Amino acid sequence: MGFKKQRNKWQKKLTYVSIVVELQASRLSNAFYINLGVVLNHLHPNSKNIPAAPDWHLRARFNRIIGAPKPGGGIVDLEDINSEEDFNKSLDFIKLQLESTVLPELEKFDILSNWDQIIQEEKDATDRFMLQNLTLDDLKLELRQLV
């Protein structure tokens, strides 16, 4: 899939953006979350470390992209895993969803014109993707500089 790993994060650098996948343990249960981020590469040039979640420009949760929210928002709950078979089924599900749905959705943001979708969604106040570290006006300015 073309990712490099650093601790609990994986990064895939594309032409204009980097996609970050982060595994996060819940503080309240045995669940794990899969956080997803998009970073504009030109705002993090020559960075040797994978950007941390507070530095992402766009963030989402795995379960929101696949349209399958779970109680509390976690995607894997260790209390639901009672055997190696259960564990493997969970991993297979996550891998399938990453390859078939999540990554293609995030890779769209490497095509600059697709950011119009985010701008519109942000105006419509949906929370599938959340803009952070940039206002809508800042984002528009940054995208114009790339074109």
Side-chain angles (χ1 to χ4, degrees):
M1 285 195 263
F3 280 82
K4 88 173 188 181
K5 183 183 184 298
Q6 187 178 62
R7 293 168 140 154
N8 64 331
K9 293 181 283 193
W10 293 261
Q11 177 183 34
K12 182 176 185 177
K13 277 199 168 197
L14 303 172
T15 304
Y16 298 106
V17 301
S18 289
I19 296 169
V20 182
V21 178
E22 175 189 65
L23 189 61
Q24 175 191 356
S26 171
R27 294 181 188 164
L28 303 174
S29 70
N30 288 325
F32 283 87
Y33 303 95
I34 300 174
N35 298 319
L36 306 161
V38 176
V39 177
L40 292 167
N41 289 335
H42 75 284
L43 295 177
H44 285 274
N46 305 319
S47 176
K48 292 182 182 176
N49 294 323
I50 296 174
D55 298 324
W56 300 346
H57 300 113
L58 188 66
R59 68 180 296 141
R61 280 253 166 102
F62 178 89
N63 57 324
R64 294 208 183 210
I65 292 189
I66 66 170
K70 291 186 75 155
I75 191 65
V76 175
D77 191 332
L78 295 179
E79 292 176 4
D80 294 340
I81 297 177
N82 299 310
S83 67
E84 187 174 337
E85 183 181 348
D86 291 345
F87 180 76
N88 288 332
K89 283 181 183 178
S90 291
L91 285 180
D92 289 345
F93 170 78
I94 291 168
K95 184 178 179 185
L96 174 67
Q97 293 301 317
L98 277 170
E99 291 175 347
S100 66
T101 304
V102 175
L103 294 178
E105 187 74 19
L106 293 174
E107 288 171 351
K108 290 178 185 178
F109 293 106
D110 201 45
I111 301 169
L112 297 178
S113 61
N114 288 338
W115 280 81
D116 290 339
Q117 170 192 350
I118 281 300
I119 292 169
Q120 188 58 48
E121 285 183 4
E122 189 72 15
K123 287 179 184 175
D124 295 340
T126 64
D127 60 355
R128 187 166 169 216
F129 294 102
M130 294 170 279
L131 189 62
Q132 67 179 27
N133 294 321
L134 291 171
T135 66
L136 285 173
D137 289 337
D138 291 340
L139 175 60
K140 289 176 188 176
L141 180 64
E142 292 297 335
L143 294 173
R144 269 182 259 164
Q145 291 176 4
L146 292 174
V147 177

